[in-house]
Amino acid sequence: MTKEDGGRRGRAGLDRRSLLGGAAGVGGTLLAAAGGARAEEAAIPAELPEWSRYLGPGVDDEPYGKPSKYEAHVIRRNVEWLTASTESSVNFTPLPWLNGIITPNGVFFERHHGGRAEIDPTKHRLLIHGLVEKPLVYTMEDIKRLPCEDRIWFLECAANGGMEWRGAQLNGCQYVRGMIGCAQWTGVRLKTLLERSGLKPNAKWVLAEGADASALTRSFPIEKALDDAFVAYAQNGEALRPGQGYPLRLILPGWEANMSVKWLRRIEVGDAPWYTRWETSKYTDLLPSGKAYKFTWVQEANSVITWPAPEHKVDGPGQYMIRGLAWSGRGRIVRVDLTFDGGKNWVTAPLQEPILPKALTRFYYPWRWDGSSVIIASRAIDETGYVQPTITQLRNARGRNSIYHNNAIITWLVNSSGEVENVQVA
Ligand code: CO
């Protein structure tokens, strides 16, 4: 900052204060009309700001646009101690700074098992084989000739919230629920591909394999393959990003995202699950007895308040909007309840359209904070009647040794200075 800048800012500040004083009566009326919401004074600034006085860059400056430099904090983040290497690890979607239900492609969380593969789409092939009448190999151009659809679905890692089973570990909305993203996907139903090859009568299971260095494989029942399983080549209007499986990925809507195999190169149809023979890794849920659930594919109803959150301090008493997200792998969200007293009383938050099955659903709720310490939380209910459980209910059923499928109600403590902390109550 130059001396001149400093002086100018000083003068502007002074002008602003004097204008404020002069318009106090009007300002007071406006504040009352807005229900106490804080707003800047309605005065025109005394001097034009910097950006209004000079030409900006032209249309050839940025062929692929980026967010404003003032949004540089809205990025994916990872947790160093979580995994031994970054190639087999996860990063987290910056939920507390996002709006609506669509996750921008540049900040959609990533979970890789062998690093991010960079694939030449002209050399990529998808093989459909196994218990089919006619094995087929597709190029990307072949796949794009088939009947296509646009669908909005979330993808959530089974380990979302996994660090919180034994207690509140991470003080951030991004880390507590950020292994999720929601996008509009363009592609072809897996059913279309399987029907073109013709299923044999004993076709019961399907194996998907990725072309990354880990050759990740997952198997799932034929019923899911013939229901809503999807092979996507585009996300939010553009080709998949390499981190999301470019040029082709599987999507099993509503199911744990490790099964939505990226860099999809092979679909094999069989008569039994592959994990009984071989599969590169397993996702099971360890119970207090030492036994484990084998198949827990569905991501149950879940929600989180994204504002306020540990990343956002509440700036003094007054009127605010609670912002949050809810979702269910079983279908639509039908209700979201909010509590402001640690779960004693609940109110219902209006849901924003669109409310789509297996997609993020947005809720907003006007909130007046009186400056006292409060515990706030959200609770999602889906169309099957399933109610998002408390951490105690979840531990009673599953113990504390799990990593996966922690969809417990998340509680934020807003203390009297407006700081927000991840705490576990009830
Ligand atoms: Co599972």
Side-chain angles (χ1 to χ4, degrees), residues 174-351:
Q174 180 165 13
Y175 299 114
V176 172
R177 278 298 181 276
M179 290 189 209
I180 191 167
C182 183
Q184 186 191 48
W185 310 95
T186 303
V188 176
R189 281 175 184 254
L190 180 56
K191 186 183 180 195
T192 304
L193 295 167
L194 294 175
E195 283 174 350
R196 284 171 58 86
S197 278
L199 290 173
K200 291 194 167 165
N202 53 340
K204 293 281 188 292
W205 283 77
V206 175
L207 180 87
E209 181 182 78
D212 60 322
S214 77
L216 186 78
T217 53
R218 289 288 180 273
S219 54
F220 52 98
I222 194 77
E223 289 77 14
K224 184 69 172 174
L226 297 176
D227 180 16
D228 56 1
F230 199 75
V231 175
Y233 44 79
Q235 178 177 359
N236 294 331
E238 61 179 6
L240 295 175
R241 299 273 176 104
Q244 293 302 324
Y246 179 85
L248 197 66
R249 76 171 304 164
L250 182 67
I251 293 179
L252 300 186
W255 286 21
E256 50 193 46
N258 67 76
M259 305 176 80
S260 290
V261 173
K262 299 189 281 193
W263 310 289
L264 184 67
R265 72 172 172 198
R266 193 165 72 87
I267 293 284
E268 185 178 346
V269 181
D271 58 2
W274 271 258
Y275 78 89
T276 56
R277 289 167 270 172
W278 55 270
E279 204 165 303
T280 50
S281 63
K282 297 186 184 79
Y283 284 71
T284 55
D285 302 297
L286 189 59
L287 296 171
S289 63
K291 292 188 174 179
Y293 287 133
K294 251 186 331 204
F295 301 134
T296 50
W297 297 311
V298 174
Q299 294 296 110
E300 300 283 9
N302 208 331
S303 68
V304 65
I305 293 173
T306 59
W307 198 101
E311 291 91 339
H312 301 294
K313 194 173 187 259
V314 182
D315 191 16
Q319 186 73 31
Y320 294 95
M321 287 303 287
I322 300 272
R323 296 162 185 271
L325 291 165
W327 61 96
S328 168
R330 293 200 189 276
R332 284 183 175 79
I333 290 294
V334 293
R335 207 175 91 205
V336 173
D337 297 332
L338 299 176
T339 181
F340 300 95
D341 56 11
K344 289 194 233 16
N345 296 286
W346 296 85
V347 293
T348 297
L351 304 179

Side-chain angles (χ1 to χ4, degrees), residues 72-83:
H73 54 287
V74 186
I75 51 171
R76 292 182 289 226
R77 293 179 172 87
N78 63 320
V79 176
E80 270 179 44
W81 51 259
L82 205 57
T83 53

Side-chain angles (χ1 to χ4, degrees), residues 326 333-336 349-353 355 361-364 381:
I333 290 294
V334 293
R335 207 175 91 205
V336 173
L351 304 179
Q352 292 287 306
E353 297 284 351
I355 304 165
T361 299
R362 179 59 76 168
F363 61 86
Y364 300 116
I381 298 153

Side-chain angles (χ1 to χ4, degrees), residues 38 157 256 383 413:
R38 205 184 64 180
C157 182
E256 50 193 46
E383 62 183 332
L413 167 68

